[in-house]
């Protein structure tokens, strides 16, 4: 009955809210794609004759600092299309080109705080999905999938495309070629959703062509303009074959032998149509994947680390499930459960994946076979795992879907999970506001799970520029533990209320104020409370300079029913604790060569005190060289014992060109006492091929301050994609 009442209340709220949705859809601006009659060289110069005859898009307005204001410099966009590719040319005029903010050259680096242009395309014209391409004035490329229906971006996704840039006395020019075989698209469409955004960083200025509203996100393709006059695309046979060859030298311990391995691997994909792709992987290798950034954990719950492996990221937007789910409540499918157990890699023998869209239906299926392995003295057999996802678009911007998974990384029997979700979304609530509401339900099974194995939740969200309001509720069963999912807490009711009021005062130095209140209350299903937290930001001001200052107050409660070790030798005993945390934080604008963020949490903590100091510092002395430092220091003084934790990391980036970089990352923490070094040379010698040279080195510092080698590895990986 509780579930029925909750569902009825939720659907009633959706019905009431949807009554206010503005029924008239505004006409979408459009630009025609020009035709290519000659050869186009991607070099950052729009000097071919076809560029001169292509239609020009120049009607841009600002979203920052003034909504629908006049940009400080003009922008001209031209698009051309062939049967094989989309080609985009952007002229970014600038009266002071020497002041263009451009540091990065690395692929997929964060260029949001530099001068850049960003393009979003919706080749299904469904208003719920899309691809994002961005490039800065150094030709650093960034690509992402539209995620959460435009509210966010899945920046870990990568595809094959080209971009080149040139700078002249009038500004800078970006030239982009996106092969049609690099994306999915709906057959026979002659127009796609399309939008362009430009950032002029020193002015803290953002301009757009379509969807020029602060309340709307750039990735909301339902609000994008249209790219028309598209030809009939030809993706050829649709076959891509990418063999890789991995040479490695591995050494375990100071006295261990150095072992040489030569391992081939293969990824191949075949289009089953312009919008469906089947992929296989054999002897899968992830040698090029960056190491995880270490985290400290002052809770009794597991930490979350994001997926970084390319095979699992392709089409990952389709597997997103349930509005209101996430790493703090439930992720029904968490791909890091496959091929990773703890910190140990498990060999993937082979896998297959099919994903795409047919009409208004998006679907994905994934199946993999992992090899046998040993972990902490226990042997595990080879196992097969799979997941399936179907999502049907309904009501213009909404969807209903189904997810299911089978198999267990540890080979436990009778493991499966299934669930349903519904998400209602509109970008036209009360005329032009965002409104999202969602409900989901899941059930899991495994031979060792006997109690309540269900979970469900609802969320109502009003995410807009001045007001951002949300209400979330989740119920997680006592034994809801999906083998391929991530669930930090079992057997709880989870409540969260979020309120952000963000006015833009007419003050000399302040651009926007974020007055925040996030209240979280978690109680056991049996009724007793487990945790509460009230996060408040009476001051969170973004300045006209791009700098930011923030002050926070956070009352916290923890009901500890079983002792847990918070630090080495420090045990938090059973009791109910109430304490106050405070934070001071300052962020320095990334437009400067030296920038970063400093944060200090302080106050009471489990009947004692805790100071958490964090520093992130970025120094870009030139476009060739960059340094990134991150450090955290925890100083705990508790009745049960004192602890000091330090975590430091330093990343050095040597950017020869946007296609050749050397990156090294060194990190150390006093908990593990392991000094880790990860260095990578990445050379993209062709849009279809690249080379990685990777060096990993880990040494352990024992209690006598003696350093001993844990492991060392040198990897050379060469891969090339053959397209037919």
């Amino acid at each position: 009955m509780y579930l029925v009442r909750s569902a009825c209340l939720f659907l009633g709220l959706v019905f009431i809210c949807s009554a206010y949705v503005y029924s008239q859809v505004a006409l979408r601006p459009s630009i025609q794609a020009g035709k290519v009659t000659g050869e186009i060289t991607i070099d950052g110069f729009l000097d071919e004759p076809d560029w001169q005859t292509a239609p020009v898009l120049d009607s841009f307005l600002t979203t920052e600092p003034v909504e629908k204001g006049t940009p400080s410099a003009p922008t001209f966009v031209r698009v051309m299309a062939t049967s094989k590719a989309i080609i985009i040319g952007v002229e970014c005029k600038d009266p002071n080109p020497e002041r263009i903010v451009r540091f990065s050259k690395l692929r997929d680096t964060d260029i949001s705080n530099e001068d850049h242009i960003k393009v979003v395309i919706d080749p299904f014209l469904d208003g719920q999905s899309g691809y994002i391409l961005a490039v800065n004035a150094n030709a650093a490329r960034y690509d992402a999938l539209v995620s959460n229906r435009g509210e966010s971006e899945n920046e870990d996704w990568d595809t094959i495309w080209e971009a080149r840039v040139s700078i002249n006395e009038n500004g800078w020019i970006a030239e982009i070629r996106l092969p049609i075989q690099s994306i999915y698209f709906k057959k026979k469409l002659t127009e796609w959703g399309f939008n362009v955004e430009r950032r002029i960083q020193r002015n803290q200025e953002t301009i757009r062509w379509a969807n020029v509203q602060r309340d709307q996100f750039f990735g909301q393709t339902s609000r994008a303009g249209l790219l028309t006059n598209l030809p009939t695309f030809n993706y050829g046979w649709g076959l891509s074959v990418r063999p890789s060859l991995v040479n490695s030298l591995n050494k375990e311990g100071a006295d261990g032998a150095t072992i040489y391995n030569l391992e081939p691997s293969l990824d191949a994909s075949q289009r089953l149509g312009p919008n469906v792709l089947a992929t296989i992987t054999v002897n899968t290798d992830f040698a090029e994947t960056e190491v995880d950034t270490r985290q400290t954990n002052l809770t009794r719950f597991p930490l979350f680390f994001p997926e970084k492996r390319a095979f699992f990221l392709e089409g990952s937007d389709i597997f997103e499930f349930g509005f209101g789910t996430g790493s703090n409540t439930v992720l029904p499918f968490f791909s890091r459960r496959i091929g990773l157990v703890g910190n140990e890699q498990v060999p993937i023998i082979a896998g297959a994946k099919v994903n795409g869209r047919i009409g208004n239906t998006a679907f994905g299926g994934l199946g993999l076979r992992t090899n046998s392995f040993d972990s902490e003295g226990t042997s595990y057999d080879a196992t097969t795992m799979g997941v399936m996802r179907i999502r049907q678009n309904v009501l213009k911007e909404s969807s209903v879907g189904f997810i299911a998974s089978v198999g267990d990384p540890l080979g436990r029997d009778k493991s499966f999970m299934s669930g349903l979700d519904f998400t209602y979304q509109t970008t036209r609530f009360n005329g032009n506001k965002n409104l999202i509401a969602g409900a989901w339900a899941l059930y899991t099974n495994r031979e060792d799970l006997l109690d309540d194995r269900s979970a469900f939740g609802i969320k109502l969200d009003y995410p807009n520029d001045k007001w951002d309001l949300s209400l979330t509720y989740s119920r997680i069963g006592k034994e809801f533990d999906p083998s391929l999912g991530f669930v930090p807490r079992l057997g709880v009711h989870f409540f969260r209320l979020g309120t952000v009021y963000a006015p833009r005062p007419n003050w000399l130095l302040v651009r926007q104020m974020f007055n925040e209140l996030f209240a979280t209350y978690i109680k056991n299903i049996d009724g007793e409370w487990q945790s509460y937290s009230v996060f408040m930001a009476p001051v969170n001001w973004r300045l006209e300079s791009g700098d930011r200052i923030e002050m926070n107050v956070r009352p916290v409660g923890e009901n500890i029913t079983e002792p847990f070790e918070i630090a080495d030798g420090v045990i938090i005993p059973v009791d109910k604790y109430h304490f106050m945390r405070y934070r001071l934080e300052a962020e320095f604008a990334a437009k400067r060569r030296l920038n970063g963020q400093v944060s200090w949490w302080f106050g009471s903590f489990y009947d004692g005190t805790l100071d958490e100091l964090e520093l992130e510092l970025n120094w870009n002395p030139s476009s060739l060289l960059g340094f990134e430092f991150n450090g955290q220091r925890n100083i705990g003084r508790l009745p049960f014992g004192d602890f000091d934790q330090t975590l430091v990391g330093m990343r050095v980036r040597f950017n020869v060109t946007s296609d050749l970089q050397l990156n090294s990352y060194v990190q150390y923490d006093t908990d593990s006492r392991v000094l880790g070094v990860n260095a990578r040379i990445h050379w993209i010698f062709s849009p279809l091929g690249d080379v990685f040279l990777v060096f990993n080195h880990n040494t352990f510092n024992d209690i006598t301050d003696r350093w001993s080698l844990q492991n060392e590895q040198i990897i050379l990986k060469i891969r090339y994609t053959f397209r037919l």
Side-chain angles (χ1 to χ4, degrees):
M1 288 300 295
Y2 185 81
L3 174 60
V4 173
R5 289 197 302 268
S6 299
C8 290
L9 175 60
F10 171 78
L11 292 174
L13 286 171
V14 171
F15 178 78
I16 292 171
C17 293
S18 62
Y20 289 92
V21 175
Y22 186 65
S23 61
Q24 299 300 318
V25 179
L27 292 176
R28 301 169 71 165
S30 64
I31 177 177
Q32 285 191 353
K35 295 182 178 181
V36 177
T37 60
E39 186 69 25
I40 301 294
T41 302
I42 305 301
D43 55 8
F45 297 94
L46 309 182
D47 49 6
E48 290 89 353
D50 286 332
W51 285 120
Q52 313 311 314
T53 59
V56 180
L57 185 163
D58 60 0
S59 54
F60 286 83
L61 297 174
T62 62
T63 58
E64 295 281 353
V66 178
E67 185 173 272
K68 297 184 179 179
T70 302
S72 61
T75 305
F76 303 97
V77 178
R78 297 171 175 86
V79 183
M80 295 190 293
T82 71
S83 62
K84 297 286 189 180
I86 297 291
I87 307 171
I88 304 169
V90 184
E91 292 183 77
C92 301
K93 300 296 186 181
D94 195 313
N96 300 294
E98 69 281 357
R99 297 182 62 193
I100 294 172
V101 180
R102 54 188 187 108
F103 303 131
S104 306
K105 292 182 180 178
L106 184 68
R107 175 73 181 267
D108 281 337
T109 191
D110 182 9
I111 60 175
S112 61
N113 293 313
E114 305 178 30
D115 281 59
H116 68 272
I117 61 100
K118 183 181 284 190
V119 175
V120 63
I121 60 173
D122 176 10
F124 287 90
L125 206 60
D126 62 4
Q128 299 193 36
S129 62
Y131 302 94
I132 293 172
L133 306 177
V135 61
N136 74 351
N138 270 341
R141 288 172 291 158
Y142 166 92
D143 43 19
L145 296 173
V146 169
S147 183
N148 294 323
R149 295 168 175 80
E151 275 199 85
S152 58
E153 301 172 8
N154 184 344
E155 60 192 37
D156 293 315
W157 172 80
D158 287 320
T159 194
I160 295 173
W161 58 292
E162 298 175 77
R164 290 291 182 268
V165 163
S166 65
I167 297 178
N168 55 49
E169 66 277 7
N170 297 316
W172 63 286
I173 298 173
E175 195 172 18
I176 295 169
R177 175 187 281 131
L178 174 65
I180 203 65
Q181 200 167 343
S182 295
I183 60 173
Y184 306 119
F185 59 95
K186 187 174 182 179
K187 192 175 181 180
K188 297 182 179 179
L189 275 183
T190 59
E191 57 185 28
W192 291 355
F194 181 78
N195 203 0
V196 182
E197 182 177 83
R198 177 187 174 188
R199 179 71 172 176
I200 305 175
Q201 184 62 26
R202 68 178 181 275
N203 299 336
Q204 300 293 292
E205 180 180 342
T206 302
I207 67 173
R208 285 185 198 166
W209 170 51
N211 193 19
V212 190
Q213 298 182 77
R214 289 172 175 158
D215 286 324
Q216 309 297 337
F217 302 98
F218 176 69
Q220 288 175 319
T221 52
S222 61
R223 287 279 191 169
L226 295 174
L227 175 62
T228 66
N229 196 37
L230 294 173
T232 299
F233 292 112
N234 179 8
Y235 52 82
W237 290 2
L239 176 64
S240 293
V241 179
R242 185 170 69 178
S244 300
L245 189 62
V246 180
N247 299 266
S248 64
L249 293 171
N250 300 275
K251 183 177 183 179
E252 294 290 335
D255 299 325
T258 300
I259 300 173
Y260 171 74
N261 284 319
L262 177 63
E263 290 283 345
S265 64
L266 178 69
D267 294 323
S269 62
Q270 174 64 58
R271 285 187 179 270
L272 307 180
N275 49 357
V276 180
L277 185 72
T279 305
I280 62 169
T281 180
V282 179
N283 197 27
T284 313
D285 175 77
F286 303 112
E288 75 280 7
T289 304
E290 279 193 323
V291 297
D292 290 319
T293 301
R294 296 179 196 171
Q295 306 176 39
T296 59
N297 189 3
L298 296 176
T299 75
R300 58 196 189 277
F301 304 105
L303 294 172
F304 177 82
F305 292 90
E307 179 62 85
K308 296 181 178 181
R309 298 170 295 175
F311 176 79
F312 294 103
L313 292 169
E314 175 64 40
S316 58
D317 58 325
I318 293 175
F319 291 92
E320 293 174 354
F321 174 89
F323 183 61
T325 61
S327 59
N328 59 346
T329 53
V330 172
L331 279 178
F333 173 53
F334 181 44
S335 57
R336 281 182 68 110
R337 294 284 187 240
I338 301 175
L340 290 170
V341 173
N343 294 321
E344 297 183 37
Q345 291 191 23
V346 179
I348 296 177
I349 300 172
K353 180 166 61 174
V354 176
N355 53 280
R357 292 174 171 83
I358 297 178
N360 289 323
T361 304
F363 60 91
L366 172 68
L368 291 110
R369 177 76 172 174
T370 57
N371 212 337
S372 57
F373 68 99
D374 296 326
S375 178
E376 298 181 353
T378 303
S379 297
Y380 298 93
D381 294 331
T383 186
T384 301
M385 294 160 281
V387 62
M388 179 183 69
R389 171 71 164 142
I390 299 173
R391 190 178 69 234
Q392 177 71 30
N393 295 343
V394 296
L395 302 176
K396 297 291 186 182
E397 300 176 68
S398 307
S399 67
V400 61
F402 169 79
I403 194 169
S405 67
V406 295
D408 180 83
L410 304 181
R412 292 169 289 187
D413 289 337
K414 300 178 182 179
S415 177
F416 72 85
M417 183 273 304
S418 61
L420 298 169
D421 66 326
F422 169 69
T423 301
Y424 171 82
Q425 176 175 351
T426 178
T427 58
R428 293 173 174 82
F429 175 70
N430 200 25
N432 59 359
K433 303 296 184 184
N434 295 308
L435 180 70
I436 313 175
W440 55 269
L442 292 159
Y443 177 81
T444 193
N445 186 66
R446 201 171 57 233
E447 62 177 355
D448 59 326
L449 304 179
L450 303 175
D451 206 330
D452 185 355
R453 291 160 285 178
S454 64
F456 69 89
I458 59 175
K459 182 175 182 178
L460 185 65
D461 195 11
Y462 179 77
N464 293 281
D465 180 67
K466 191 171 184 179
W467 283 100
D468 188 343
L469 311 173
S470 64
L471 176 64
T472 305
Y473 167 72
S474 301
R475 180 194 179 278
I476 315 299
K478 288 184 178 180
E479 293 196 1
F480 179 76
D481 182 25
S483 294
L484 299 183
F486 180 83
V487 186
R489 301 193 192 213
L490 303 180
V492 297
H493 296 283
F494 177 95
F495 303 87
R496 191 166 194 260
L497 173 67
T499 304
V500 180
Y501 174 58
R504 298 171 184 265
N506 190 20
W507 295 1
L508 179 63
L509 299 177
V510 178
R511 174 168 293 189
Q512 192 169 15
M513 305 166 64
F514 297 88
N515 303 289
E516 300 170 286
L517 172 65
F518 294 95
T520 303
Y521 179 71
I522 303 171
K523 73 171 187 174
N524 296 324
I525 284 181
D526 295 335
E528 192 172 18
W529 69 276
Q530 188 181 103
S531 302
Y532 70 80
S533 168
V534 182
F535 177 90
M536 294 173 282
V539 175
N540 183 359
W541 296 352
R542 182 158 60 97
L543 309 182
E544 290 290 349
S545 61
D547 302 307
R548 184 179 60 84
I549 56 174
E550 183 171 356
M551 293 187 291
N552 304 122
V553 180
R554 183 173 174 246
V556 181
E558 294 291 345
N559 183 4
I560 306 302
T561 56
E562 293 183 5
F564 79 98
E565 188 175 37
I566 195 170
D568 189 21
V570 181
I571 307 295
I572 305 296
V574 172
D575 205 346
K576 295 179 180 178
Y577 300 89
H578 308 272
F579 44 93
M580 291 288 293
R581 306 292 292 152
Y582 307 91
R583 179 169 70 170
L584 299 175
E585 184 170 85
E587 182 179 358
F588 310 103
K591 66 183 180 182
R592 304 186 182 97
R593 293 193 178 275
L594 182 63
N595 61 80
Q597 179 175 296
V598 60
S599 176
W600 176 31
W601 277 106
F602 59 96
S604 56
F605 185 75
Y606 288 111
D607 291 344
T609 63
L610 173 67
D611 290 275
E612 299 173 85
L613 302 168
E614 294 183 50
L615 174 64
E616 296 179 8
L617 196 62
N618 304 307
W619 180 40
N620 299 285
S622 71
S623 295
L624 186 66
L625 191 61
F627 300 89
E628 301 174 11
F629 172 82
N630 65 280
Q632 183 171 345
R633 173 79 169 159
N634 299 328
I635 306 171
R637 299 294 178 259
L638 307 180
F640 333 111
D642 299 338
F643 63 89
D644 295 83
Q645 297 173 328
T646 302
L647 188 157
V648 292
M650 170 69 80
R651 180 175 278 110
V652 180
R653 302 191 186 279
F654 188 70
N655 306 306
V656 181
T657 70
S658 59
D659 292 327
L660 177 60
Q661 297 100 26
L662 167 62
N663 298 294
S664 63
Y665 185 46
V666 181
Q667 55 183 335
Y668 177 79
D669 69 276
T670 54
D671 277 359
S672 70
R673 302 176 70 90
V674 172
L675 176 67
V677 179
N678 171 250
R680 300 193 320 156
I681 296 176
H682 185 196
W683 175 34
I684 306 173
F685 61 86
S686 160
L688 299 173
D690 51 4
V691 176
F692 293 91
L693 180 60
V694 182
F695 173 69
N696 293 311
H697 181 90
N698 293 291
T699 53
F700 175 70
N701 181 18
D702 63 23
I703 57 175
T704 64
D705 282 336
R706 294 182 59 185
W707 292 90
S708 59
L709 177 68
Q710 277 195 328
N711 54 68
E712 190 172 65
Q713 184 181 52
I714 300 175
I715 301 171
L716 175 64
K717 180 173 181 176
I718 305 171
R719 65 185 183 187
Y720 190 85
T721 302
F722 298 91
R723 283 184 163 177
L724 299 173

